[in-house]
Amino acid sequence: MKNLFDLTGRKALITGSAQGIGHLLAQGLAEHGAEIIINDITQERAEKAAGELVKQGFKASGIAFDVTNKTEVEKAVRQIEQEIGEIDILINNAGIQRRHPFLEFPEKEWDDVINVNQKAVFLMMQAVGKYMVKRQRGKIINIGSMQSELGRDTITPYAASKGAVKMLTRGGCVELARHNIQVNGIAPGYFITELTKPLVDNEEFTSWLCKRTPANRWGNPDELIGAAVYLSAPASDFVNGHLLFVDGGMLAAV
Ligand code: NAP
């Protein structure tokens, strides 16, 4: 019987995957058979992260490009397609956070957040999507957030960008599903990574978070791997435009 979760022979490009959630997803997809292409802004970090996978016997390479730069994105995607092979799975994971009260939020930092979290998803979906359409198959997974649905103090631009990720996912589904491309998203709750370090270190926040989350704890990033494997694999071939919340039940609770 066909293994619905087997990724053998599939190539997965994961943006911003030299560390954090992206790196764990790279590890998880590799363990399910995928060849991994790690992206980071610096070649050194991309190669180092890919090297860690290669040391474990997986196939992986690292490629540096800035996901917010259309020219760099198109050049890198072309290079991967020609030199490494067809991108079967794209995970738009690169993301940044900036925190300020809304009325004082600096315009420059608004632009930075929107460019990395929102515009880059558009650029990546467009660049890789064109190759996927030619092949009439592909999997695109966009990393959203609780803030795809919920607002929160001091991070309104982040919430605006992650709300947009939800709609890029639905819009992408509407336009690409007819080409046998599945565009879905994963919306992580609160996970312990570099991005959330200021919150993890804040006892008051951690106590609030545990009370607010039905599971009563922070998430461990490796608990996102199952969702990523599912949305990358044949198991999800008729799942499209869906945002899968992996949040310990947070969105279900008031
Ligand atoms: P992280 O540890 O800060 O990792 C983000 C990665 O994105 C970094 O490796 C960063 O590289 C890279 N990146 C930033 N700008 C880039 C650019 N212009 N081009 C290429 N790469 C770039 O964050 P994380 O917590 O793993 O978050 C990963 C994703 O999950 C993000 O989309 C985030 O919004 C989302 N998320 C996280 C949580 C959580 O609890 N951690 C919850 C919900 C959603 P540099 O470090 O070199 O800049």
Side-chain angles (χ1 to χ4, degrees):
M1 201 177 126
K2 185 165 119 175
N3 180 346
L4 290 173
F5 298 92
D6 184 16
L7 301 178
T8 305
R10 308 283 171 100
K11 293 185 178 61
L13 167 61
I14 308 175
T15 67
S17 55
Q19 68 174 53
I21 288 173
H23 194 51
L24 271 152
L25 297 185
Q27 174 82 31
L29 263 56
E31 285 169 6
H32 284 76
E35 176 175 345
I36 306 296
I37 302 126
I38 299 265
N39 152 257
D40 189 82
I41 275 195
T42 68
Q43 189 63 32
E44 194 192 341
R45 272 167 54 82
E47 277 175 13
K48 186 165 174 278
E52 284 164 25
L53 294 174
V54 171
K55 261 190 240 151
Q56 298 172 62
F58 301 124
K59 275 182 130 179
S61 43
I63 178 159
F65 61 93
D66 179 349
V67 290
T68 68
N69 182 312
K70 184 176 162 78
T71 310
E72 284 189 34
V73 164
E74 287 180 346
K75 187 172 161 232
V77 169
R78 198 166 47 243
Q79 188 186 337
I80 294 166
E81 287 274 336
Q82 286 169 357
E83 294 173 16
I84 301 174
E86 297 172 350
I87 301 166
D88 302 293
I89 302 157
L90 164 67
I91 303 188
N92 285 309
N93 164 79
I96 61 170
Q97 177 65 286
R98 299 289 180 266
R99 295 183 174 89
H100 299 284
F102 180 65
L103 296 181
E104 287 140 39
F105 215 98
E107 184 185 356
K108 162 80 173 69
E109 293 192 31
W110 158 273
D111 287 342
D112 291 345
V113 169
I114 298 298
N115 280 336
V116 178
N117 296 4
Q118 178 177 336
K119 182 182 165 191
V121 175
F122 160 69
L123 293 177
M124 291 299 306
M125 283 174 68
Q126 220 178 32
V128 177
K130 284 175 185 162
Y131 286 92
M132 289 179 168
V133 166
K134 274 191 210 148
R135 293 193 276 276
Q136 292 289 294
R137 65 180 166 81
K139 299 271 187 188
I140 298 176
I141 302 169
N142 297 324
I143 305 298
S145 152
M146 295 314 294
Q147 277 70 46
S148 295
E149 292 293 346
L150 303 172
R152 186 169 160 74
D153 235 16
T154 72
I155 58 168
T156 295
Y158 181 84
S161 71
K162 292 298 186 179
V165 166
K166 175 179 74 178
M167 292 316 297
L168 278 159
T169 302
R170 290 187 181 165
C173 156
V174 169
E175 298 206 38
L176 300 177
R178 71 187 75 125
H179 299 290
N180 188 30
I181 298 168
Q182 290 81 52
V183 186
N184 290 292
I186 298 172
Y190 284 83
F191 286 81
I192 299 173
T193 66
E194 279 302 308
L195 193 85
T196 53
K197 198 170 181 309
L199 301 177
V200 179
D201 294 344
N202 180 332
E203 271 179 37
E204 199 185 329
F205 182 87
T206 291
S207 154
W208 170 83
L209 179 78
C210 291
K211 279 195 207 122
R212 176 69 182 78
T213 307
N216 198 30
R217 63 173 174 85
W218 282 89
N220 299 311
D222 58 6
E223 290 173 304
L224 289 163
I225 290 172
V229 170
Y230 169 60
L231 293 176
S232 299
S236 62
D237 278 354
F238 200 55
V239 177
N240 222 327
H242 184 72
L243 198 57
L244 176 51
F245 280 81
V246 183
D247 65 352
M250 189 182 229
L251 191 65
V254 187

